[in-house]
C-alpha cells in the first residue's frame, strides 16, 4: 500500500478494499481498449511527474481509468462527481493501489463540496471533470489554483453545456476537451450505455414488470433515444416529450408517440427524464399523474424532477425499498421517486456496462494526453476531440472484437477527393 495515498485519502472504510479489488479486476477483464492504452502509457510515460485530478462517478470502471492514468506516470487524486454513485469498497481498493481518494458514498452536501475543493488543492496539472462542478468551483471559488492547470477533459453533456456558456461569457480560463461530443462517446455510451444501465437500475430497484406499461421518456437526445429503444424492447408503450421539433419528428418516425408533458403525465406508469435541464416534471404534472407513478432521472443533476413541488403535495414520505421513496399525496395518490431524483443508473445501479465505458474512458485517457501535449496552443476554449483519437478508439474496439475493415484503394481515395470525376 502507498503510504502517501493512505495518509491523504478520505474514505469510508479501508476494510472494504477486498471487495473493491474484485470489482476493479472484473471490469479490467472486460475493457480491452483501455488495457491496450495502459500498455502504451506504461511504455511512453506521458504524464511522468504530473498531478492529475479526476472527478467522475467513482465506481469500478472509473477506478480502472484512474489506474491507467497512473500507469502513465501521473500522481492521481480522485473524487466523486455525484454523492450517490460513489462506491466505498472501490474507493478503499484504489487507495491500496496508490491513488489518493477523496470520496464517500452519500456524504453531506457540505462535505461533498469540501472534498472537491481538497481535490483542487492538490494543485493538479491536468483535470478530468463530469458535470462541471470541479471547473465551476475552480473558476468561482478557487481561481488562485488556475495557474497550475494546463487543461482537462469533460465527460458529459451537462458539463459541456456549462463550459460552453463559460466560454461564451469569456470566463473559461483553460482548454477543456469536450469528450461527450466525440462519436465514440455519444453514439455508444449515451445511446447503448444509458439505455441499458437506466433500465438495469430501474428493474433491479423496483422489481416490477415493464412490458405492457406506458413509459414516458422526457427528452430525445442520444441518451433519450437509448432509454426509449430499450423500453420498447422490454415491451413498453413509449411516449416521448420534446422541445426540439427536429428530435420530435425523429421520435415520431422511430415509432414513438410524441406529445406534451401535460398530456403524457396522465398516461405514464414510468417517467424518465433525460434532458440536462431543470423542472421538466413539476407540480402541474404531478396533479394529473396516476396513482403509483414511478419517477426516475437519467440526467446529471437532481433538478429535472422538481422535488420541492413533489414534497408540498405530500402528507408523508417514507422509504419503501432501497433507493425508492414513496410520496403519499394529500389526495390519496402515491408517487415513487428512485434514487432521490439523482442519476438513476449510478444512484441505484452500477452505471454503464464495462465494454461501453471502455471506449469512453479510452477517449478520456487519450484526450488528456492530447491536452498535455498541446495545451500551449489550444487556448482558453472548449476543444473537440480530434477525429484521429475518435477513429483510433473505434479501431482498437474493432480489433478487440476480431472485426476487420475494408480499406480504400488509391483510386477510390483519389475519386472521393476530386471534384472532376472524368
Amino acid at each position: 500500500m502507498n503510504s502517501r495515498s493512505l495518509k491523504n485519502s478520505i474514505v469510508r472504510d479501508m476494510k472494504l478494499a477486498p471487495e473493491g479489488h474484485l470489482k476493479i479486476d472484473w471490469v479490467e477483464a472486460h475493457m480491452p481498449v483501455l488495457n491496450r492504452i495502459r500498455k502504451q502509457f506504461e511504455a511512453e510515460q506521458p504524464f511522468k511527474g504530473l498531478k492529475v485530478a479526476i472527478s467522475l462517478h467513482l465506481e469500478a470502471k472509473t477506478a480502472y481509468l484512474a489506474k491507467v492514468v497512473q500507469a502513465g506516470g501521473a500522481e492521481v487524486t480522485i473524487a466523486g462527481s455525484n454523492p450517490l454513485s460513489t462506491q466505498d469498497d472501490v474507493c478503499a481498493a484504489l487507495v491500496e493501489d496508490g491513488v489518493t481518494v477523496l470520496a464517500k458514498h452519500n456524504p453531506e452536501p457540505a462535505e461533498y463540496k469540501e472534498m472537491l475543493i481538497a481535490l483542487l488543492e492538490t494543485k493538479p496539472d491536468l483535470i478530468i471533470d463530469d458535470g462541471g462542478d470541479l471547473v465551476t468551483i475552480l473558476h468561482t471559488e478557487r481561481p488562485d489554483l488556475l495557474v497550475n492547470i494546463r487543461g482537462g477533459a469533460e465527460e458529459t453533456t451537462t458539463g459541456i453545456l456549462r463550459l460552453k456558456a463559460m466560454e461564451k461569457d469569456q470566463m473559461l480560463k483553460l482548454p477543456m476537451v469536450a469528450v461527450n461530443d466525440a462519436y465514440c462517446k455519444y453514439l455508444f455510451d449515451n445511446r447503448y450505455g444509458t439505455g441499458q444501465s437506466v433500465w438495469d437500475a430501474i428493474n433491479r430497484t423496483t422489481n416490477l414488470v415493464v412490458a405492457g406499461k406506458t413509459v414516458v421518456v422526457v427528452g430525445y437526445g442520444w441518451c433519450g433515444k437509448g432509454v426509449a429503444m430499450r423500453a420498447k424492447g422490454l415491451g413498453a408503450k413509449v411516449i416521448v416529450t420534446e422541445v426540439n421539433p427536429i428530435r420530435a419528428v425523429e421520435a415520431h418516425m422511430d415509432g414513438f408517440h410524441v406529445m406534451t408533458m401535460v398530456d403524457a403525465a396522465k398516461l405514464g406508469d414510468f417517467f424518465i427524464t433525460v434532458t440536462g435541464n431543470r423542472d421538466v416534471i413539476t407540480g402541474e404534472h404531478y396533479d394529473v399523474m396516476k396513482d403509483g407513478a414511478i419517477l426516475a432521472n437519467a440526467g446529471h443533476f437532481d433538478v429535472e424532477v422538481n422535488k420541492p413541488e413533489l414534497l408540498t403535495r405530500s402528507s408523508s414520505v417514507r422509504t419503501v425499498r432501497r433507493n425508492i421513496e414513496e410520496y403519499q399525496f394529500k389526495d390519496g395518490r402515491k408517487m415513487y421517486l428512485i434514487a432521490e431524483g439523482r442519476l438513476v443508473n449510478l444512484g441505484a445501479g452500477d452505471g454503464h456496462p464495462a465494454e461501453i465505458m471502455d471506449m469512453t474512458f479510452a477517449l478520456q485517457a487519450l484526450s488528456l494526453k492530447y491536452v498535455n501535449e498541446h495545451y500551449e496552443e489550444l487556448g482558453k476554449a472548449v476543444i473537440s476531440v480530434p477525429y484521429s483519437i475518435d477513429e483510433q478508439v473505434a479501431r482498437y474496439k474493432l480489433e478487440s472484437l476480431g472485426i476487420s475493415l475494408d480499406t480504400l484503394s488509391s483510386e477510390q481515395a483519389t475519386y472521393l477527393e476530386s471534384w472532376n470525376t472524368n
Side-chain angles (χ1 to χ4, degrees):
M1 187 185 301
N2 183 293
S3 59
R4 180 192 59 81
S5 63
L6 182 61
K7 177 183 177 182
N8 296 326
S9 291
I10 302 172
V11 297
R12 182 81 61 189
D13 186 355
M14 285 302 299
K15 295 177 183 178
L16 299 173
E19 184 66 27
H21 284 301
L22 290 175
K23 289 182 177 181
I24 297 170
D25 289 347
W26 173 260
V27 301
E28 179 181 349
H30 294 86
M31 301 181 88
V33 179
L34 214 51
N35 288 336
R36 181 167 177 170
I37 291 170
R38 180 177 184 169
K39 290 179 181 178
Q40 293 176 0
F41 281 6
E42 287 173 341
E44 299 169 2
Q45 293 290 288
F47 308 120
K48 185 176 182 180
L50 300 180
K51 294 180 180 180
V52 175
I54 300 174
S55 173
L56 290 170
H57 296 285
L58 218 174
E59 43 78 52
K61 298 175 288 291
T62 301
Y64 189 53
L65 170 64
K67 292 180 66 173
V68 170
V69 174
Q70 181 189 50
E75 179 183 309
V76 178
T77 305
I78 190 167
S81 65
N82 184 298
L84 291 186
S85 62
T86 296
Q87 297 183 7
D88 290 323
D89 51 0
V90 171
C91 293
L94 266 184
V95 174
E96 287 193 345
D97 287 338
V99 174
T100 299
V101 179
L102 304 169
K104 298 177 182 177
H105 178 75
N106 201 21
E108 293 297 324
E111 186 181 14
Y112 171 74
K113 185 176 179 180
E114 286 171 4
M115 287 188 284
L116 288 179
I117 293 173
L119 178 64
L120 291 170
E121 287 177 341
T122 63
K123 297 182 178 180
D125 301 282
L126 298 162
I127 63 174
I128 295 177
D129 201 2
D130 187 330
D133 278 350
L134 197 65
V135 170
T136 299
I137 292 171
L138 180 65
H139 283 71
T140 58
E141 299 184 36
R142 295 303 306 269
D144 56 301
L145 299 174
L146 276 163
V147 65
N148 302 298
I149 301 177
R150 298 177 178 185
E154 167 59 47
E155 169 78 5
T156 194
T157 306
T158 301
I160 291 172
L161 289 173
R162 295 170 79 177
L163 288 173
K164 288 182 176 178
M166 293 174 70
E167 181 184 26
K168 181 181 178 182
D169 291 343
Q170 298 183 329
M171 294 298 294
L172 188 62
K173 303 300 182 185
L174 73 168
M176 290 291 293
V177 177
V179 170
N180 188 74
D181 290 352
Y183 288 108
C184 281
K185 172 66 163 68
Y186 67 77
L187 287 177
F188 309 117
D189 180 306
N190 292 2
R191 181 167 43 165
Y192 297 102
T194 302
Q196 178 169 322
S197 63
V198 162
W199 284 108
D200 283 348
I202 292 172
N203 289 338
R204 81 156 68 163
T205 303
T206 65
N207 194 32
L208 298 176
V209 71
V210 180
K213 301 283 180 64
T214 297
V215 171
V216 178
V217 179
V218 188
Y220 203 66
W222 286 103
C223 292
K225 291 180 179 69
V227 172
M229 177 173 61
R230 290 290 175 251
K232 182 178 180 180
L234 288 167
K237 294 170 282 187
V238 181
I239 296 170
V240 170
T241 73
E242 251 299 345
V243 296
N244 183 306
I246 298 172
R247 290 178 179 172
V249 171
E250 183 181 15
H252 170 75
M253 290 191 173
D254 284 344
F256 303 120
H257 298 287
V258 179
M259 62 185 71
T260 65
M261 188 61 220
V262 168
D263 290 334
K266 303 170 187 176
L267 304 173
D269 298 298
F270 291 90
F271 294 83
I272 304 168
T273 58
V274 209
T275 69
N277 208 340
R278 61 174 298 165
D279 299 329
V280 295
I281 298 182
T282 63
E284 65 173 328
H285 308 127
Y286 303 140
D287 290 342
V288 297
M289 282 183 180
K290 296 178 183 179
D291 179 33
I294 295 171
L295 310 171
N297 167 50
H300 186 80
F301 293 113
D302 61 339
V303 296
E304 302 204 22
V305 177
N306 188 305
K307 291 189 287 186
E309 292 186 9
L310 192 60
L311 188 60
T312 59
R313 285 162 171 75
S314 303
S315 57
S316 65
V317 181
R318 63 173 182 157
T319 299
V320 291
R321 283 174 65 92
R322 183 181 178 186
N323 285 319
I324 302 180
E325 293 173 308
E326 176 194 83
Y327 288 78
Q328 174 74 59
F329 278 24
K330 296 168 186 175
D331 63 8
R333 290 177 299 138
K334 295 176 181 177
M335 302 290 151
Y336 298 98
L337 180 65
I338 302 179
E340 301 177 9
R342 297 187 184 276
L343 193 59
V344 67
N345 55 345
L346 281 151
D350 288 324
H352 293 359
E355 299 99 326
I356 293 294
M357 293 311 297
D358 188 27
M359 299 174 70
T360 295
F361 284 162
L363 289 170
Q364 284 282 13
L366 294 176
S367 293
L368 201 68
K369 178 175 180 285
Y370 174 79
V371 170
N372 187 50
E373 292 171 346
H374 300 280
Y375 68 96
E376 292 179 332
E377 62 202 61
L378 291 177
K380 300 171 183 179
V382 180
I383 309 298
S384 297
V385 174
Y387 184 75
S388 60
I389 291 177
D390 221 350
E391 189 178 63
Q392 182 180 6
V393 169
R395 289 187 183 280
Y396 285 175
K397 179 65 175 178
L398 290 171
E399 289 173 13
S400 75
L401 296 170
I403 297 173
S404 299
L405 292 180
D406 289 321
T407 57
L408 295 174
S409 68
S410 58
E411 292 81 5
Q412 287 174 319
T414 299
Y415 179 84
L416 290 175
E417 295 171 359
S418 174
W419 65 271
N420 186 349
T421 58
N422 293 326

